[in-house]
Amino acid sequence: MNTVHSLPSYLDPNHLGPWGIYLQQVDRVTPYLGHLARWVETLKRPKRAMIVDVPIELDNGTVAHFEGYRVQHNLSRGPGKGGVRFHQDVTLSEVMALSAWMSVKNAAVNLPYGGAKGGIRVDPKTLSKGELERLTRRYTSEIGVIIGPSKDIPAPDMNTNEQVMAWMMDTYSMNVGATATGVVTGKPIALGGSLGRREATGRGVFTVAQEAAQRIQLELKGSRVAVQGLGNVGGVAAQLFAQAGCRVVAVQDHAGTVFNEAGLNIDALLAHVSTHGSVKGFAPAQTLGNDQFWSVPCDILVPAALEQQITVDNAGQIQARLVIEGANGPTTPQADDILAERGILVVPDVIANAGGVTVSYFEWVQDFSSFFWSEDEINARLVRLMREAFAAVWQTAEQHKVSLRTATFIIACTRILQARELRGLYP
Ligand code: GLU
């Protein structure tokens, strides 16, 4: 389906990974783009992709080199925006896909941003705090030429947090000679961060779950939820589901899977994770094999970990009525088709996890105006924006008889390519 000229020469066509998934998603939306389809190739290659060498001195005196990336997929609608991921499996093509999903996500919620993403190929668990700081600062300096408050604004993603953002903000600021709080979002509150940012992605996941459940007449109270990943996204979402009277029956993380039909005590589980590093060994709960997680009887499934988790191998076993994608890219296009045939509704990542970047946008606006909002105001605005965006996606899906994913892509890619066309080719 993808023509050869759609593939930049630096990608291996046999190992496209998430970028291959993204290209198939673009192919699915193309018939709905009307005259804007003329510009669709714009979406199939990043505007700019930077690979940097990140050398640091380790605590033992040796020098180690890490590979870092910052990809700006599209800047037609505004500065680049998207997180930075530290993970041992990060690759350029993965960061490209994540940056493209940021373009789609930001346009779907109508934030005035393009899409970008960054990453370093490193297992941060193997680094001391000092090494992590040196890695972050050197990486920030290396990508410093393409980021900035009105150019490209990084934020947290997998294995990066408020402290990493503080180091990024400081490094950039020292290099330009002025404190620039608006260069990153997801900062500590004391440095121009926003109230509610840390919980925002999980809160957004919960909000779209409420909206979707209501439309398929699924009563949230008493419903059973299974969550993969208990990090910043899955952990907060699980808490909100539990507070709403749902039973969170299964949780899987990198080390194991726990199950309790009566519902896991999420606060106790989170406390267990913070002392033991994973859900493994949590009681009272049954331990399940990793594959068993997918066939757990539940109403709502929330993949909130890595990409490519729901595949042809397990899509046929899923018992849920609703899949809410907290992670980016958790479902392959083939698995999407299987779920659709089985009548399982998927709320795609590009709308379901947009809460994080939405409050990042609020943080950036607050930094620019140096005027800070209350947490209630932030949460109220977040919920309103997510509900409106979800309603538009739902309506588009009904109008064209397409999945919620394709509907989100229709809205987002139309906005991106409209901007692209209006701006014109220059120089
Ligand atoms: N990393 C988050 C995401 O995937 C947030 C990005 C941001 O706030 O810029 O949406």
Side-chain angles (χ1 to χ4, degrees):
M1 186 75 188
N2 301 311
T3 47
V4 175
H5 70 276
S6 297
L7 219 51
S9 65
Y10 46 84
L11 287 188
D12 175 354
N14 299 316
H15 295 96
L16 286 181
W19 182 255
I21 295 180
Y22 165 73
L23 287 180
Q24 290 183 56
Q25 293 168 348
V26 174
D27 285 341
R28 288 181 178 195
V29 75
T30 308
Y32 301 95
L33 296 177
H35 78 281
L36 292 170
R38 172 170 182 245
W39 296 100
V40 79
E41 191 71 15
T42 308
L43 301 172
K44 294 189 179 184
R45 48 191 66 236
K47 174 181 174 57
R48 189 178 283 141
M50 189 173 190
I51 305 176
V52 293
D53 174 36
V54 189
I56 58 159
E57 188 168 322
L58 299 179
D59 294 344
N60 67 13
T62 60
V63 177
H65 290 253
F66 298 92
E67 196 168 297
Y69 316 92
R70 185 71 188 172
V71 178
Q72 295 170 344
H73 172 260
N74 189 278
L75 305 179
S76 294
R77 301 180 63 257
K81 186 86 194 82
V84 174
R85 172 175 295 202
F86 290 175
H87 195 275
Q88 59 274 18
D89 298 328
V90 164
T91 60
L92 174 64
S93 66
E94 181 191 19
V95 178
M96 281 170 57
L98 292 165
S99 72
W101 284 323
M102 287 310 303
S103 298
V104 175
K105 193 187 303 185
N106 293 335
V109 197
N110 214 1
L111 306 179
Y113 291 133
K117 201 86 172 198
I120 305 181
R121 196 170 165 82
V122 62
D123 179 0
K125 286 193 286 293
T126 63
L127 300 181
S128 68
K129 191 170 180 198
E131 290 166 341
L132 188 68
E133 176 172 354
R134 293 196 287 282
L135 182 81
T136 303
R137 288 186 181 278
R138 180 63 189 237
Y139 167 72
T140 308
S141 281
E142 292 297 337
I143 64 165
V145 285
I146 62 167
I147 63 168
S150 55
K151 288 161 81 176
D152 180 3
I153 306 109
D157 197 78
M158 199 171 279
N159 296 329
T160 56
N161 56 19
E162 293 177 6
Q163 176 62 77
V164 171
M165 292 307 117
W167 290 326
M168 289 190 77
M169 187 282 258
D170 180 68
T171 306
Y172 178 85
S173 297
M174 297 314 282
N175 287 347
V176 300
T179 294
T181 52
V183 67
V184 293
T185 58
K187 298 179 295 296
I189 304 292
L191 279 182
S194 177
L195 295 167
R197 172 63 187 87
R198 198 180 322 144
E199 300 78 18
T201 314
R203 192 174 293 280
V205 164
F206 176 70
T207 303
V208 297
Q210 279 180 310
E211 294 297 301
Q214 190 204 330
R215 284 171 173 82
I216 63 165
Q217 274 101 45
L218 170 67
E219 176 76 53
L220 220 47
K221 199 169 158 63
S223 67
R224 297 155 307 169
V225 182
V227 181
Q228 186 196 36
L230 209 61
N232 183 46
V233 181
V236 173
Q239 275 178 313
L240 292 172
F241 280 115
Q243 282 163 21
C246 303
R247 274 184 289 151
V248 182
V249 290
V251 172
Q252 174 170 85
D253 73 4
H254 61 98
T257 306
V258 289
F259 174 78
N260 185 335
E261 218 200 318
L264 298 155
N265 179 334
I266 297 302
D267 290 336
L269 183 59
L270 287 168
H272 178 92
V273 171
S274 72
T275 37
H276 297 88
S278 91
V279 300
K280 211 170 147 185
F282 178 72
Q286 218 178 306
T287 301
L288 296 186
N290 276 347
D291 291 344
Q292 282 174 290
F293 172 76
W294 301 106
S295 51
V296 156
C298 64
D299 304 294
I300 302 175
L301 174 66
V302 183
L306 279 164
E307 302 95 72
Q308 300 183 85
Q309 298 300 301
I310 304 180
T311 66
V312 284
D313 297 330
N314 56 25
Q317 299 161 26
I318 291 172
Q319 304 297 312
R321 289 179 64 194
L322 257 184
V323 174
I324 313 283
E325 295 185 338
N328 290 309
T331 311
T332 66
Q334 291 66 33
D336 256 343
D337 293 342
I338 296 171
L339 296 176
E341 271 162 34
R342 297 184 57 223
I344 299 170
L345 184 67
V346 178
V347 183
D349 48 6
V350 279
I351 185 80
N353 70 32
V357 70
T358 299
V359 176
S360 275
Y361 166 58
F362 298 160
E363 178 174 335
W364 183 73
V365 169
Q366 291 172 84
D367 287 339
F368 266 111
S369 54
S370 299
F371 179 76
F372 292 86
W373 314 345
S374 72
E375 188 159 3
D376 284 348
E377 184 169 1
I378 286 158
N379 289 342
R381 282 179 191 262
L382 167 65
V383 168
R384 194 171 68 221
L385 234 135
M386 297 289 294
R387 282 193 183 143
E388 284 169 9
F390 184 87
V393 167
W394 189 270
Q395 200 205 336
T396 303
E398 294 209 313
Q399 185 189 336
H400 294 286
K401 309 261 173 295
V402 292
S403 67
L404 295 181
R405 190 183 315 280
T406 299
T408 312
F409 268 69
I410 292 176
I411 292 172
C413 296
T414 301
R415 284 184 180 147
I416 296 167
L417 297 182
Q418 247 164 9
R420 213 267 151 274
E421 182 173 69
L422 284 165
R423 289 178 67 154
L425 285 173
Y426 176 86

Coordinates of all heavy atoms in Angstrom, one line a residue, residues 81-84 102 105 117 153-157 185 197 201 328 353 356-357 360, ligand 1:
K81 N 5.7 20.2 19.6 CA 5.4 19.9 21.0 C 5.3 18.4 21.2 O 4.7 17.7 20.4 CB 4.0 20.5 21.4 CG 3.6 20.3 22.8 CD 4.2 21.4 23.7 CE 4.1 21.2 25.2 NZ 5.3 20.3 25.6
G82 N 6.0 17.9 22.3 CA 5.9 16.5 22.5 C 7.0 16.1 23.5 O 8.0 16.8 23.7
G83 N 6.9 14.9 24.1 CA 7.8 14.5 25.2 C 9.1 14.0 24.8 O 9.5 14.0 23.6
V84 N 9.9 13.7 25.8 CA 11.2 13.1 25.7 C 11.2 11.8 26.4 O 10.8 11.7 27.6 CB 12.3 14.0 26.2 CG1 13.7 13.3 26.2 CG2 12.4 15.3 25.5
M102 N 2.0 12.9 17.9 CA 1.9 14.2 18.5 C 1.2 15.3 17.6 O 0.4 16.0 18.0 CB 3.2 14.8 19.1 CG 3.8 14.1 20.3 SD 2.7 13.8 21.7 CE 2.2 15.5 22.1
K105 N -2.4 14.3 17.5 CA -3.0 14.6 18.8 C -3.3 16.1 19.1 O -4.4 16.5 19.4 CB -2.1 14.0 19.9 CG -2.6 13.9 21.3 CD -1.5 13.5 22.3 CE -0.8 12.2 21.9 NZ 0.2 11.8 22.9
K117 N 8.9 14.9 19.0 CA 9.2 13.9 20.1 C 10.7 13.8 20.2 O 11.4 13.9 19.2 CB 8.5 12.6 19.8 CG 8.3 11.7 21.0 CD 7.0 12.0 21.8 CE 6.7 11.1 22.9 NZ 5.3 11.2 23.2
I153 N 8.8 22.6 22.1 CA 8.7 22.5 23.6 C 8.6 21.1 24.1 O 7.6 20.5 24.1 CB 7.5 23.4 24.0 CG1 7.5 24.8 23.4 CG2 7.4 23.4 25.6 CD1 6.5 25.0 22.4
P154 N 9.8 20.5 24.6 CA 9.7 19.2 25.1 C 8.9 19.1 26.4 O 8.5 20.1 27.0 CB 11.2 18.8 25.4 CG 12.0 19.8 24.5 CD 11.1 21.0 24.5
A155 N 8.7 17.8 26.8 CA 7.9 17.6 28.0 C 8.2 16.1 28.5 O 9.0 15.4 27.8 CB 6.4 17.6 27.7
P156 N 7.7 15.7 29.6 CA 8.0 14.4 30.1 C 7.3 13.3 29.2 O 6.2 13.6 28.6 CB 7.4 14.3 31.5 CG 7.1 15.7 31.9 CD 6.9 16.5 30.6
D157 N 7.9 12.2 29.2 CA 7.3 11.0 28.6 C 7.8 9.8 29.4 O 8.2 10.0 30.6 CB 7.7 10.9 27.1 CG 6.7 9.9 26.3 OD1 5.6 10.3 26.0 OD2 7.2 8.7 26.1
T185 N 7.6 21.8 29.3 CA 6.4 21.8 30.2 C 6.6 20.5 31.0 O 7.4 19.7 30.8 CB 5.1 21.8 29.4 OG1 5.1 20.7 28.5 CG2 4.9 23.1 28.7
R197 N -0.7 19.1 36.1 CA 0.0 18.6 34.9 C 0.3 17.1 35.1 O 0.1 16.3 34.2 CB 1.2 19.4 34.6 CG 2.1 18.7 33.5 CD 1.4 18.7 32.1 NE 2.1 18.0 31.1 CZ 2.0 16.7 30.9 NH1 1.3 15.9 31.7 NH2 2.7 16.1 29.9
T201 N -2.7 13.4 32.1 CA -2.9 12.4 31.1 C -3.9 11.3 31.6 O -4.9 10.9 30.9 CB -1.6 11.7 30.7 OG1 -0.6 12.7 30.4 CG2 -1.8 10.9 29.4
N328 N 0.8 5.4 23.7 CA 0.9 5.8 22.3 C 1.1 4.6 21.5 O 2.0 3.8 21.8 CB 2.0 6.8 22.1 CG 1.7 8.2 22.7 OD1 0.7 8.7 22.5 ND2 2.7 8.7 23.5
N353 N -5.2 10.0 25.2 CA -4.1 10.4 26.1 C -3.7 11.8 25.8 O -2.6 12.3 26.2 CB -2.9 9.4 26.0 CG -2.1 9.5 24.7 OD1 -2.0 10.5 24.1 ND2 -1.6 8.3 24.4
G356 N -2.5 15.1 28.7 CA -1.2 15.5 29.2 C -0.7 16.7 28.4 O -0.4 17.8 29.0
V357 N -0.8 16.6 27.1 CA -0.3 17.8 26.3 C -1.3 18.9 26.4 O -0.9 20.1 26.3 CB 0.0 17.3 24.8 CG1 -1.3 17.0 24.1 CG2 0.8 18.4 24.1
S360 N -0.1 20.6 29.3 CA 1.2 21.2 28.9 C 0.9 22.6 28.2 O 1.7 23.5 28.5 CB 1.9 20.3 28.0 OG 2.7 19.3 28.6
Ligands
GLU1 N1 4.5 12.8 26.4 C1 3.2 13.2 26.4 C2 2.4 12.6 25.2 O1 2.8 11.6 24.7 C3 3.0 14.7 26.7 C4 3.7 15.5 25.7 C5 3.6 17.0 26.1 O2 3.0 17.4 27.1 O3 4.1 17.8 25.3 O4 1.4 13.1 24.9

